[in-house]
Amino acid sequence: MHKQSYFIKGMSCAACVRRIEQGINALPGVEKASVNLATQKMVVDFDPGITNSDQIVKKLHDIGYDGAPIGPIAPPRAKTALVGVGGMSCAACVRRVENALRHVPHVTDVAVNLATSQARLVFDGDQLDLASVAKALDDAGYEYLGLASDLTPEQTDLMAEGEIRDLKTKLSVGIVLSIVIHFGSMHEGWNHFVHVPDSVRLALLFVLTTPVVFWVGDRFIRGAWKALKQKTADMNTLVALGGLSAYLFSALSVCFPSVFSSSYPPVVYFDAASMIITLILLGRFLEARAKGRTTLAIRKLISLKPLTARVIRNGVELEIQANALLKGDHVVVRPGEKIPTDGVVLEGRSTVDESMLTGESMPVVKAEGDEVFGGTINNEGFLTFRATKVGSETALAQIIRLVEEAQGSKAPIQRVADRLAAVFVPVVLVIAALTFLLWYYLAPNAGFSQALLNCVAVLVIACPCAMGLATPTAVMVGTGVGAEHGILIKGGESLERAHDVDVMMFDKTGTLTKGKPEVRDVIIQPGTDSTRVMDLAYSLESHSEHPIGKAILEKVRVDGAKSLDIREWAYEPGLGITGMLDGRRLLMGSIHFMEARQVDLGELREKAHDLSQDGSTLIVVAEDNRALGLFVVADSPRESAAPAVSRLKEMGLTVGMITGDNAAAANAIASSLGIDIVKPQVLPGEKAGIIKEFQEKGHIIGMVGDGINDAPALTAADIGIAIGVGADVAVEASDVTLIQDDLRLVAQAISLSRLTMRVVKQNLFWAFFYNSLGIPIAAGLLYPWWGILLNPVYSAAAMALSSVSVVSNSLRLRWSARSIFR
């Protein structure tokens, strides 16, 4: 389905809206047409293979309205799927899985996230061939765990708990045996407690080490075997080679002492083999525990889903599973209960806690005709509502989907790290081989044992786990923290681009301003009864559907105006209203409308001139060609607009505004908010062009909007930020969605992006710096000057610590981000 917006001329009331929607929805190939009377716009979802934009415009004309498309047709949204992948252990695995899945039919792009053990597949067919996905993973030596969407939170938790439980069991056995093996390797220490022949002691060490290597460390050996079958190497290869080298050399020394050693008892490294396996498994265990905390945000969101619902069917109230709700069901919610799905209130009045969606702690009053959202909590009243969205269509489900996709996505900087990791392991294998050869043939008095130890130290210390975890863990925490505070970031790429934004452009109406006109002042002609002015305004505007008319009605109702018997009421679109009362001609409309009918403005003329300079809309009430009063109407800035602009400028961004309003109105708003750049009188289709002009000058542009006509500009910008209460098409076109209409979240989103990218860069720096420093030391580079050699046991401990430190640094983001959202 493609999406296209249209501007419509000639609509005057709700009946027009209904007529147009029914007519367009009847067209073959049209899935949905949605008309907005206030903005005079329509959005149509249609199948371009069945109908086209010209046919839609023709149908509008046949119905009796003029219409024109706004901007280009939005392309269909790419289809994506999240697939669970088992058996990944490092960045080299990520690269191998991505390469395997790219060969699946119809898959156009793959992003594998090591932290979540998921692959995000983009495909262009009607349906993803899951059998081919499973086969590709199996052929590559990995396990297909199913679609992430098919797994319940309970199943996901059980899988994670099962993995941690298995690690914990093997780790416990490994620690106990390694301690015994360590003391058994100390000849004098062993004899201090137990006097046994060296042959028996060595045999015992051999027996105790074997389960550590082949059972406790079985995941490393199996992983290395899978990699070997694929003619590649990964982190498992390094650990398996390191552990097995020390084990096999020691085992052969015990079995054939005369071949491998000139003295007795022979030198063995059973303690090194067991410690390497155990310490790296310890790192894997701590890493798994820490990674579980990175998904805290998504778990919180999923836990908000209600499990049951009360519905009225055939006059009987039933309790059913929430996932069995149907559109149109009448749902009953009692005080204190969760609202099970999205809908519109039919009966009752209550306050609802929507903080889980908006982050706003104040309850929202709900009455007949108001929207309610699944997962929110009904506080005190009894509500009956009609379900309008169920299952995956609800606001909560959409938020969960966006966060899951974001956490499964990959930042561009991670792709660089993955490519480096793919060649890193083969390079390390070469360095380890050279280390062995140099120590064996060139180092004086080194011999086979020392050459082997140094080779093993290089293999073990170089595992690239930290590289693979550096970016995805930070992205997961960053997007999760954003979701908890009402900022939905659509992926790692959006998160990375946002921190480079240097110019932030805002749409005016409905974004910087409330989008709802308000009467700021009423000026009465000297000598005129103000009550009569209010009564005339109430009577003339009572039939109006125009937003300005509604604002005036709201004002005069508060002042107690009453209705008069107006005859011959007529509305002239874009100009004003006329009518008759007791033989006197009444007029209400713009200054231009009054001047065209030669109405005497009197003392209001000078005030009208002054007021027009600040961009206010002026509506005059006149009787028998004499102006009686002047309503000053303006679209006020949002309360959060000025603080948002101020904060963005403090952060070093240039702030601009794009609007279709005249220069006077635009400059008045910009001046009051402290905006640097103003682009007035810009047509909807021209907004994207303004964005591109700035991009051509080398700027990284962010665009904030909420309306249908903002979609092209949001798409054209480097980062599009949509206010979630706005049009669906704007939200779809954006990179970041703000669930609340609080513009301060724009600055918070940029700050969160900067903080997350700082943590990503820290992680990558330490991951690469650690290997750059550790490998030469393990190879013996410092030995000629200071006699420093790195025992393989310490190499294993350092490798395990590097992965844990990267994940821990990412988790620190949760605490650091507190300062952003104060």
Side-chain angles (χ1 to χ4, degrees), residues 488-530:
L488 298 182
I489 301 168
K490 289 193 175 178
E493 187 173 352
S494 301
L495 193 67
E496 182 173 336
R497 281 205 312 265
H499 91 289
D500 287 326
V501 169
D502 63 341
V503 176
M504 187 64 71
M505 302 298 290
F506 286 85
D507 169 57
K508 184 180 87 68
T509 305
T511 302
L512 285 171
T513 63
K514 296 175 181 176
K516 182 182 177 184
E518 296 175 344
V519 176
R520 285 203 291 193
D521 197 6
V522 181
I523 301 170
I524 306 299
Q525 187 85 262
T528 302
D529 181 6
S530 62

Side-chain angles (χ1 to χ4, degrees), residues 77-191:
R77 193 168 180 270
K79 296 177 183 178
T80 61
L82 278 176
V83 172
V85 182
M88 293 192 297
S89 57
C90 67
C93 295
V94 169
R95 189 77 172 166
R96 192 180 311 138
V97 170
E98 286 181 343
N99 289 337
L101 291 177
R102 281 197 176 94
H103 292 95
V104 173
H106 301 295
V107 170
T108 58
D109 191 28
V110 184
V112 173
N113 190 315
L114 179 62
T116 59
S117 297
Q118 290 179 341
R120 181 174 179 268
L121 308 180
V122 180
F123 59 98
D124 57 13
D126 292 333
Q127 193 171 356
L128 183 63
D129 185 354
L130 295 178
S132 297
V133 171
K135 185 177 185 304
L137 288 173
D138 186 62
D139 290 346
Y142 298 91
E143 184 182 0
Y144 170 67
L145 300 179
L147 286 172
S149 57
D150 292 340
L151 296 174
T152 66
E154 292 76 16
Q155 288 173 317
T156 305
D157 287 343
L158 283 173
M159 288 169 61
E161 287 170 8
E163 170 73 3
I164 290 174
R165 190 164 49 249
D166 180 60
L167 283 167
K168 191 174 184 179
T169 301
K170 291 184 175 179
L171 179 62
S172 300
V173 172
I175 289 172
V176 171
L177 291 178
S178 294
I179 291 171
V180 175
I181 293 165
H182 177 70
F183 281 106
S185 299
M186 299 165 60
H187 184 253
E188 294 80 6
W190 179 272
N191 286 333

